[in-house]
Amino acid sequence: MRTRRSASALYVAEKRGKIWVIENGVRLAAPFINIGVEVNGNADRGSLGLALHPEFPDTPWVYILYTYDPPETIGASGALGHNGKGQRVARMIRVTANAATNYNTAVPGSEVVLLGTN
């Protein structure tokens, strides 16, 4: 589990791809974002890092690094399947935190791949 604190909240990344916001010691009911379908969580893989832009929330970007399971792994089996032991790349994405939800969720569809395409 990785964490990053903003001025009023704690952002926590679970290994399997859910990012949570914790305010005043309480985890919010809905995740900030769930990218679990893209995360390979086998062994020491999974969500690898989380960072808020240095000027967050004025620049409401959240950076997420994880081991990437490409779409072709869904439905495959063995090492080639989702969460399989086959070779994978790391991926870094940037998402935009939604001001309308007090930065507690990501703007749907705001994901930008910065590193790690197949």
Side-chain angles (χ1 to χ4, degrees), residues 2 88 113:
R2 309 274 187 221
R88 299 291 191 270
V113 177

Side-chain angles (χ1 to χ4, degrees), residues 7 44 64 104:
D44 61 350
I64 306 166
N104 292 330

Side-chain angles (χ1 to χ4, degrees), residues 32 51-63 94-97 103 110:
F32 174 80
L52 304 180
H53 189 279
E55 296 176 10
F56 188 90
D58 294 329
T59 305
W61 293 342
V62 178
Y63 301 90
R94 182 188 72 214
V95 298
T96 302
Y103 308 101
S110 67

Side-chain angles (χ1 to χ4, degrees), residues 20-23 26-31 101 104-105:
W20 297 95
V21 177
I22 299 172
E23 289 188 327
V26 177
R27 188 188 82 183
L28 301 182
T101 64
N104 292 330
T105 61

Side-chain angles (χ1 to χ4, degrees), residues 25-86:
V26 177
R27 188 188 82 183
L28 301 182
F32 174 80
I33 193 169
N34 182 356
I35 56 170
V37 71
E38 294 186 11
V39 174
N40 179 296
N42 189 329
D44 61 350
R45 298 175 181 181
S47 181
L48 304 171
L50 169 71
L52 304 180
H53 189 279
E55 296 176 10
F56 188 90
D58 294 329
T59 305
W61 293 342
V62 178
Y63 301 90
I64 306 166
L65 178 67
Y66 57 97
T67 308
Y68 175 61
D69 252 345
E72 55 268 21
T73 64
I74 297 172
S77 60
L80 299 177
H82 183 67
N83 282 327
K85 296 179 182 179

